[in-house]
């Protein structure tokens, strides 16, 4: 069986301000995988990744591109829903 994995992108500082998140992906004979690795203080590599992760925090904020109300209305209409049904829930 052959396997490979690689990190993708910069390490990110989690919302807790301590944990580092690193995106991983790869594959094996069983198929592809995609996920995240959590690195905590004391884990191997934590100290080396910390400066970069601090410069790349995960942001807990609204997306830069909000949902277009006309597009949302069209999607709801195509799904057989009414926008008032969605707003009530």
């Amino acid at each position: 069986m052959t396997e490979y994995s690689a990190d993708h992108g910069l390490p990110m500082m989690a919302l807790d301000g301590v944990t580092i998140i690193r995106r991983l992906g790869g594959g094996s004979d069983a198929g592809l995988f995609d996920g995240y690795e959590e690195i905590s203080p004391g884990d191997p590599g934590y100290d080396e990744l910390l400066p970069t992760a601090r410069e790349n925090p995960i942001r807990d904020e609204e997306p830069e591109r909000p949902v277009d109300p006309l597009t949302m209305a069209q999607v709801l209409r195509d799904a057989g829903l009414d926008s008032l049904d969605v707003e009530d829930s």
Side-chain angles (χ1 to χ4, degrees):
M1 175 168 118
T2 60
E3 273 190 32
Y4 69 92
S5 64
D7 61 350
H8 301 282
L10 297 172
M12 300 173 285
M13 183 60 67
L15 293 175
D16 66 9
V18 176
T19 307
I20 297 173
I21 306 294
R22 184 167 53 178
R23 185 169 177 263
L24 300 174
S28 69
D29 291 341
L32 299 175
F33 65 89
D34 187 27
Y36 292 88
E37 175 183 24
E38 291 187 1
I39 304 165
S40 299
D43 289 347
Y46 181 87
D47 293 335
E48 292 82 16
L49 295 172
L50 187 58
T52 305
R54 284 183 174 155
E55 294 175 2
N56 190 32
I58 293 176
R59 301 197 190 316
D60 187 25
E61 58 189 37
E62 292 292 318
E64 291 181 24
R65 294 177 56 189
V67 175
D68 177 56
L70 295 176
T71 302
M72 179 58 82
Q74 181 65 44
V75 169
L76 293 173
R77 191 170 30 258
D78 291 347
L81 300 172
D82 186 289
S83 63
L84 296 176
D85 295 332
V86 175
E87 291 174 6
D88 291 338
S89 56

